[in-house]
Amino acid sequence: MKLKKNKEVSDKKETIVKEKKHFFKRKESKPREEMVDDWDSNEEKEIKYYCEKCHGLLKKDQDYCVRCGTHVRFETKMHRFFEKYVPKFLLFILILMPICELLYFLSAGGHLSFLGTSFNFRLDHFYKVFLIPLIFVYIFEKIYKRETPNFLEIAVYCYIWFTTLSLMTAHDVNVGWNGYTARYEGYPVLIFYAFYFLNAMSVKNQKIIKNSIKFICGLSIIHLICCALQYNNGWFIDHVLGYKYNQYQMVGLVENSNFLGSISSLMTAMAMVLYYYRHKIWGYLLFVISYIVLLLSNCTGSFLSFGLLCIIFLIFVIVRKEFNWKYFAVALLTCVVLFPINGIFCSSSMMSDVKSSSQVIENKIEDENASLDALGTNRIIIWKRAWKLIKERPLLGYGPDNMALVVESIDGRISSKAHNIYLNFCVSSGIFTLLSYCLWIFLTLWSTRKCNNLTRIVLCFGVLMYSIQGFFNINVIEITPMFFLLAGYLASYKGKNLDV
């Protein structure tokens, strides 16, 4: 009996010790899911609809239920219509953008004529035409799908609301509606950005998303051809085409080298991610072409932003244990070898900007009274004056695109933008609009914290690249809609590993 009791006591002690060890044992983390290379797969998970009466499965494009004969409701037909045609409509707008940019670029020199009459083509008119259909489609889709808005959509609604209030209290309502001369980023264009994003959030067609990415990256080829024609102050355009080229830099399809730096940095980031994961020659060629366009833009801010993104991407692949030294070394070596293109083909290279900035910093170290205003091609001065305007009207700002009407001139030149997306939002539409926009972009990127398919990673780094370079550049109507389309596609991934 004593032996049995001793055995029972010892067994109880062992079980208690095991339970304690199990309690204090550190929980093993789940293994990370491997990345899904979904780039070549065009399989779409078809969304299924069921009869409301007998709950039988409805076949594709069928107007009645086979089991009970009940006719399909109008709402179900509209769901099918939205899923089929809205993504194509958004892609159609994207394809038209470069054509309109070309017309806008040509008309800026007064070269566009029709039936003997010359006219100026304004790109904002293009967005105004498509704004009403985008609003109608989004509201109609929300009503028939009976969906409640999520936090991301609420942030976009706040952006629209505060932008509307800033227009109502604008310094000049007419400029706030139409936009300032040569920029034309007025109220309708700002609202177009929002509804272009909101409609892209509902896209579940992977083929449309991939084609949009390929199209945007492929635009680098057109920009490179335009830069070749614009080399040497547009010699080919002046002497062969007979069209007076008014720029002293290579600007591609857009009207400013800084804008070219913005779009080329976005294209380079997406092409780099595609090449790193796909190991395809076409991905490498797109990366090389878009990187050359970035160098030809001679935009130091976009180039430094791309360098910062490369560091973030390196940390990303190391943390995920996806580091491939061969392809990373090839990409890095390509960037180093091609960098002299900037000094050879550009009149004032980025290295000269770096030297002048370092000289200003050295003067500041030697003399405390020296000024840093010359840093970043007068960006420090512009930011100071923008901050001064923000302190005067912090809540709702001076109205969309009204900065040029109230800012002080610099050496006789008026800056219509703050050369910083976030400061520009605060000056034009107030701090509430800025907070709404930042929350909007943050929630879009936060939804990708568990990236595990290639399409999503490409979109994530494209959106992140544009957001980083926004600290040195501004939103422009030639480029920004592409960014919001990509951000909307990124936000359409609402699940952890959702491919549709």
Side-chain angles (χ1 to χ4, degrees), residues 231 250 288 291-298 303 331-352:
Y231 174 64
M250 289 172 279
V288 169
Y291 180 69
I292 290 174
V293 175
L294 176 61
L295 294 174
L296 294 177
S297 70
N298 202 26
F303 184 81
L332 181 62
L333 186 63
T334 302
C335 292
V336 174
V337 170
L338 294 178
F339 183 76
I341 289 176
N342 175 255
I344 296 171
F345 294 99
C346 296
S347 56
S348 60
S349 64
M350 288 186 283
M351 289 303 298
S352 61

Side-chain angles (χ1 to χ4, degrees), residues 283-294:
Y284 179 73
L285 291 176
L286 281 179
F287 168 63
V288 169
I289 293 171
S290 54
Y291 180 69
I292 290 174
V293 175
L294 176 61

Side-chain angles (χ1 to χ4, degrees), residues 307-407:
L308 177 60
L309 183 92
C310 291
I311 297 173
I312 296 173
F313 181 70
L314 177 61
I315 296 171
F316 175 80
V317 294
I318 290 175
V319 170
R320 290 175 58 88
K321 298 179 181 179
E322 296 170 351
F323 180 70
N324 189 323
W325 69 270
K326 291 182 180 179
Y327 293 100
F328 190 84
V330 169
L332 181 62
L333 186 63
T334 302
C335 292
V336 174
V337 170
L338 294 178
F339 183 76
I341 289 176
N342 175 255
I344 296 171
F345 294 99
C346 296
S347 56
S348 60
S349 64
M350 288 186 283
M351 289 303 298
S352 61
D353 293 340
V354 173
K355 288 179 181 178
S356 61
S357 298
S358 60
Q359 185 62 42
V360 172
I361 295 173
E362 287 178 5
N363 294 337
K364 180 64 177 178
I365 294 173
E366 294 174 359
D367 184 7
E368 294 181 357
N369 297 323
S371 176
L372 294 174
D373 292 346
L375 283 174
T377 59
N378 292 328
R379 273 174 170 77
I380 300 295
I381 302 176
I382 297 172
W383 292 345
K384 284 182 178 180
R385 295 185 180 179
W387 179 248
K388 183 180 178 181
L389 295 175
I390 291 170
K391 290 191 289 185
E392 291 175 0
R393 295 183 67 170
L395 299 181
L396 296 175
Y398 285 90
D401 229 8
N402 269 249
M403 179 177 170
L405 304 179
V406 293
V407 72

Side-chain angles (χ1 to χ4, degrees), residues 84-274:
K84 185 175 182 180
Y85 292 105
V86 170
K88 295 180 180 178
F89 177 59
L90 298 178
L91 182 60
F92 174 71
I93 296 175
L94 176 65
I95 293 172
L96 283 181
M97 282 182 193
I99 301 173
C100 294
E101 287 175 9
L102 180 61
L103 294 175
Y104 179 69
F105 181 75
L106 292 176
S107 65
H111 193 67
L112 195 63
S113 60
F114 181 72
L115 297 178
T117 59
S118 61
F119 64 96
N120 287 328
F121 179 86
R122 281 176 48 180
L123 196 55
D124 61 315
H125 293 330
F126 168 74
Y127 299 130
K128 290 175 183 177
V129 168
F130 286 104
L131 175 59
I132 295 175
L134 286 174
I135 295 174
F136 175 77
V137 167
Y138 177 74
I139 295 175
F140 207 66
E141 188 176 7
K142 276 292 176 184
I143 291 172
Y144 278 101
K145 286 188 175 181
R146 300 174 184 176
E147 295 177 348
T148 56
N150 53 29
F151 287 114
L152 177 56
E153 290 175 305
I154 291 172
V156 181
Y157 298 159
C158 291
Y159 163 84
I160 295 172
W161 172 248
F162 289 120
T163 304
T164 306
L165 289 179
S166 69
L167 174 68
M168 296 169 62
T169 60
H171 178 79
D172 190 326
V173 178
N174 186 32
V175 173
W177 179 266
N178 295 310
Y180 189 70
T181 306
R183 292 286 183 268
Y184 300 114
E185 196 181 29
Y187 175 79
V189 176
L190 297 175
I191 302 303
F192 173 85
Y193 298 159
F195 279 98
Y196 202 37
F197 171 87
L198 290 171
N199 280 279
M201 280 184 64
S202 64
V203 174
K204 298 179 176 64
N205 190 327
Q206 282 291 291
K207 189 175 181 181
I208 293 289
I209 295 176
K210 293 168 189 174
N211 288 338
S212 300
I213 296 173
K214 292 175 183 177
F215 180 79
I216 292 175
C217 291
L219 285 177
S220 59
I221 300 173
I222 300 176
H223 283 292
L224 182 61
I225 295 172
C226 292
C227 287
L229 297 177
Q230 295 159 0
Y231 174 64
N232 195 16
N233 296 328
W235 183 91
F236 183 85
I237 296 175
D238 288 342
H239 294 80
V240 179
L241 300 182
Y243 168 53
K244 182 63 179 175
Y245 182 65
N246 296 320
Q247 299 285 343
Y248 62 93
Q249 290 178 325
M250 289 172 279
V251 298
L253 271 180
V254 292
E255 57 179 339
N256 190 289
S257 59
N258 291 327
F259 307 160
L260 181 62
S262 298
I263 186 62
S264 59
S265 62
L266 186 147
M267 294 185 295
T268 307
M270 293 195 298
M272 179 186 69
V273 177
L274 274 174

Side-chain angles (χ1 to χ4, degrees), residues 45-111:
K45 295 180 182 178
E46 185 181 351
I47 297 176
K48 299 178 181 179
Y49 298 101
Y50 297 90
C51 176
E52 293 190 350
K53 186 175 180 180
C54 68
H55 302 289
L57 180 64
L58 298 174
K59 293 185 178 180
K60 189 176 181 181
D61 299 330
Q62 191 172 357
D63 293 334
Y64 63 92
C65 178
V66 178
R67 290 176 61 181
C68 65
T70 305
H71 283 277
V72 176
R73 287 189 60 182
F74 177 69
E75 288 87 344
T76 307
K77 294 181 181 179
M78 292 306 299
H79 288 179
R80 291 172 175 173
F81 174 82
F82 288 134
E83 287 153 11
K84 185 175 182 180
Y85 292 105
V86 170
K88 295 180 180 178
F89 177 59
L90 298 178
L91 182 60
F92 174 71
I93 296 175
L94 176 65
I95 293 172
L96 283 181
M97 282 182 193
I99 301 173
C100 294
E101 287 175 9
L102 180 61
L103 294 175
Y104 179 69
F105 181 75
L106 292 176
S107 65
H111 193 67

